[in-house]
Amino acid sequence: GGVNATYSSSYFLYVNYWGGEMKNNVYVWNRKTYPTSYLIYDYQYTTTQLWNNNLYFCGSTPSPTFGYWYNGSTAYGLGNFATWQSYTGRDANSYYENVVWQDSVGGNFAPNTSIPTRIESHGVPVPGVTTDINGNTRNAFYPDMGAYEGNYTPEFNVDAVASAFTQ
């Protein structure tokens, strides 16, 4: 015989570690598997984690709760990205956006080059990471978020923003 199990929640990204950085990632979850679902389930309460320059999207219907966060004494179900940023103090330079892939059915998860996206040039340089998943050279100053470096349509003009800071 087997064991009957009842599950009441699901999550896309489970975090239970101390310290570290999470940056330049693209997290997209287009399914809800249990009555309570979370894009991020963060069960650690250190303030030494640095999360930034990430892109998130929850695309299922009904939409899952954005995140679960335990701060050491209280657990919170944080319903959307803005609430996640406010409660956790993380992801100040991150975005919430629906990513359109080149061909997700065919397994090509590179962003569509004709659809504006904040993936384009919104990453930060990571020491030692000079190429993408395909061996393409990363931009040394404004790399793309995610696994692919490409010539995507920017959501806004990154060069204009950058030049405002260098003048």
Side-chain angles (χ1 to χ4, degrees):
V3 175
N4 291 329
T6 302
Y7 299 96
S8 60
S9 65
S10 63
Y11 40 84
F12 176 77
L13 175 65
Y14 180 84
V15 181
N16 188 11
Y17 72 94
W18 299 90
E21 294 182 59
M22 289 180 45
K23 57 186 171 185
N24 296 353
N25 297 290
V26 176
Y27 300 107
V28 176
W29 195 23
N30 286 321
R31 82 173 68 184
K32 181 174 179 165
T33 54
Y34 293 103
T36 304
S37 296
Y38 305 96
L39 178 69
I40 301 171
Y41 190 96
D42 186 0
Y43 194 78
Q44 56 73 41
Y45 47 90
T46 180
T47 57
T48 59
Q49 284 192 1
L50 303 172
W51 294 22
N52 244 331
N53 300 87
N54 298 301
L55 188 133
Y56 301 97
F57 185 71
C58 303
S60 62
T61 302
S63 182
T65 301
F66 183 84
Y68 171 95
W69 180 61
Y70 176 68
N71 72 358
S73 61
T74 306
Y76 299 94
L78 306 174
N80 59 48
F81 181 54
T83 306
W84 168 263
Q85 290 174 305
S86 175
Y87 274 71
T88 66
R90 298 181 186 147
D91 286 308
N93 294 319
S94 296
Y95 302 96
Y96 188 86
E97 170 187 291
N98 186 4
V99 179
V100 178
W101 309 115
Q102 291 285 345
D103 180 14
S104 60
V105 174
N108 183 353
F109 290 97
N112 186 310
T113 56
S114 64
I115 306 295
T117 179
R118 288 191 169 96
I119 288 174
E120 174 63 34
S121 301
H122 279 87
V124 293
V126 176
V129 179
T130 58
T131 59
D132 73 358
I133 195 169
N134 292 326
N136 299 317
T137 302
R138 292 262 183 202
N139 183 301
F141 301 103
Y142 303 103
D144 296 336
M145 288 189 262
Y148 298 95
E149 187 73 22
N151 293 313
Y152 308 112
T153 304
E155 179 66 23
F156 63 88
N157 188 337
V158 176
D159 294 333
V161 174
S163 68
F165 289 107
T166 59
Q167 293 180 0

